[in-house]
Structures are given as C-alpha cells and as structure tokens.
C-alpha cells in the first residue's frame, strides 16, 4: 500500500486582497484546519473558490507538494510558509512526476481522483510580487494538481493519501505540463496525453480541439 503524508489541510474565505498595485477577490490566503471537515464534490466545506480559475467538481481539491518548497525558498519571500500557493493540501512524496491523470486515492472517508495540473495564475505572482513566478513554475513543472471527489466524506488533520488505483494510461501530470507549456506540441504528444480518460471536463475538450 502506497501512502503519502499530508502535512496540512487548508481553507479560506474569499476576501479582497491587495498585493502591490493589484486588488482582487481571492481565497489564496489559506490557513490549516484544526478539526474534522466535510469534503463534498465541490470541495472542503469551509473553503471558498473564485470560479474563473478554481473550484467546481473538476477542481474540487488542490494539492501542492511540500517537496517543492525548497525550490522556492530563497528565491522569494515565503512568508509564513502555510499553503505557499493557496493549495488545499500540502503533501510529501507525491508530485507531478509520479502521479497520473486518473490516479485514485483514499483521503479520510473520501475518495479523490486526479483531473489536471494546476495552471498558475497572476494572483500567485502578485502575492509574492514576482511577475516571473508563473514562467518559473511552468518551466520547472512544479505546478501542483487538482482532484475531483468520487466519494464524499469527512477529512481531518492527520489523514493521509492512500493510493487505491493507478490509471492504466499512465499519463503523468508532468507529461501534461510539458504539452501545455510547449511551444508547438506534436500530434503524437496529444494522442499520448489523450489516452487518459479522467481529465477534467473542461481541459479534455480543449486538448481534443488543439490536436486537430
């Protein structure tokens, strides 16, 4: 049984945030939960999402690997270090190169499935006053990724991610990142990526359209 450590689970309410000259609504400033919480098909009960980039059934939960924190340390002000990129779960051992679209995990009482990489947006760059952060995240492949919730249930601090099933197509999150951020991906790359059938309902149609 493969188990990955969840260091912390985070939530936040949407507030108006100002970073430098930018003001925008965001739930980026997430803090660790200290009690059991319901994880529904649209996310954690006390977490809010700005719908243009996050949330919904296909992006119900966002993971970012703690393994990557050292990559960013020293390059930018990591502030309090909690939910560095506004992720819902900060984990150890699981990352873009060893995780596939469609991999399924038990998380507390819930069951979750990987749907797509996180695509970094301007709000993260604004938070750290690093306009080049988005490019750096894309080039490194250290993006994190999203899950849908297949089975709702309670989760709590101390719950781990337990691998239930590897997707048969074996398309890693990193492979998807390489395609999304490539200058001119080939038809063969698209064919390979689309072997994964568990993509989010928003990303898969876009990949099919771009392939043609």
């Amino acid at each position: 049984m493969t188990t990955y450590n969840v260091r912390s689970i985070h939530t936040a309410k949407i507030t108006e945030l100002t970073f430098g000259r930018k003001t925008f609504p965001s739930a980026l400033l997430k803090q660790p939960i200290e009690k059991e919480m319901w994880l529904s098909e649209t996310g954690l009960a006390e977490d809010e999402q700005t719908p243009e980039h996050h949330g919904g059934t296909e992006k119900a939960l966002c993971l970012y690997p703690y393994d990557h924190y050292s990559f960013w340390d020293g390059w930018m002000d990591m502030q309090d270090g909690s939910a560095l990129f506004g992720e819902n779960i900060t984990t150890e051992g699981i990352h873009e190169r060893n995780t596939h679209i469609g991999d399924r995990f038990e998380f507390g009482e819930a069951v979750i499935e990987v749907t797509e990489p996180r695509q970094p947006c301007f709000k993260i760059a604004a938070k750290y006053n690093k306009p080049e952060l988005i490019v750096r995240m894309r080039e490194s492949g250290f993006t994190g990724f999203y899950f849908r919730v297949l089975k709702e249930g309670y989760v709590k601090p101390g719950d781990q991610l337990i691998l239930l099933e590897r997707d048969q197509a074996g398309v890693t999150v990193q492979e998807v990142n390489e395609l999304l951020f490539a200058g001119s991906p080939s038809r063969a790359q698209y064919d390979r990526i689309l072997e994964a059938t568990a993509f989010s309902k928003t990303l898969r149609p876009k990949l099919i359209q771009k392939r043609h």
Side-chain angles (χ1 to χ4, degrees):
M1 180 183 299
T2 303
T3 302
Y4 300 102
N5 184 43
V6 177
R7 290 177 60 92
S8 49
I9 305 169
H10 309 100
T11 63
K13 300 296 184 183
I14 295 173
T15 57
E16 285 289 326
L17 301 180
T18 299
F19 297 121
R21 298 179 180 179
K22 292 184 179 293
T23 298
F24 47 79
S26 177
L28 190 59
L29 301 184
K30 299 189 188 300
Q31 295 298 318
I33 68 171
E34 298 178 353
K35 60 182 181 180
E36 184 178 69
M37 189 173 294
W38 184 252
L39 176 58
S40 76
E41 65 176 9
T42 55
L44 291 160
E46 296 182 12
D47 194 48
E48 294 183 347
Q49 306 284 355
T50 48
E52 71 272 22
H53 295 296
H54 313 290
T57 59
E58 304 301 278
K59 300 179 183 179
L61 201 68
C62 180
L63 175 153
Y64 198 81
Y66 183 76
D67 310 58
H68 300 336
Y69 272 40
S70 60
F71 175 81
W72 303 103
D73 191 16
W75 182 76
M76 66 186 193
D77 178 11
M78 294 178 64
Q79 301 180 14
D80 63 3
S82 179
L84 186 63
F85 293 116
E87 68 268 18
N88 296 117
I89 53 176
T90 307
T91 55
E92 293 177 311
I94 179 174
H95 49 75
E96 299 83 359
R97 290 164 177 78
N98 67 4
T99 307
H100 311 90
I101 302 300
D103 283 358
R104 295 182 177 186
F105 299 85
E106 178 182 299
F107 181 35
E109 296 178 351
V111 175
I112 59 178
E113 180 179 70
V114 179
T115 57
E116 65 172 85
R118 180 179 185 172
Q119 297 186 46
C121 68
F122 78 91
K123 293 180 182 180
I124 300 175
K127 175 183 177 181
Y128 292 105
N129 192 29
K130 287 282 189 178
E132 65 273 35
L133 187 149
I134 294 174
V135 172
R136 189 176 175 90
M137 186 174 280
R138 289 175 174 175
E139 289 179 345
S140 66
F142 296 166
T143 58
F145 43 91
Y146 288 108
F147 297 88
R148 65 170 60 90
V149 177
L150 300 179
K151 176 189 173 187
E152 300 179 330
Y154 284 100
V155 299
K156 63 184 185 302
D159 285 342
Q160 308 299 295
L161 285 182
I162 302 171
L163 179 66
L164 297 177
E165 182 181 344
R166 289 286 189 201
D167 188 78
Q168 292 185 349
V171 175
T172 66
V173 175
Q174 177 60 19
E175 285 182 85
V176 184
N177 277 334
E178 290 170 358
L179 180 142
L180 290 175
F181 306 136
S184 54
S186 67
R187 173 66 181 254
Q189 281 180 281
Y190 278 108
D191 288 344
R192 162 62 183 150
I193 293 302
L194 287 167
E195 289 178 19
T197 60
F199 273 113
S200 69
K201 295 176 183 177
T202 50
L203 183 56
R204 186 172 177 82
K206 292 178 182 177
L207 294 174
I208 293 172
Q209 184 177 23
K210 289 181 179 180
R211 178 180 62 174
H212 294 298

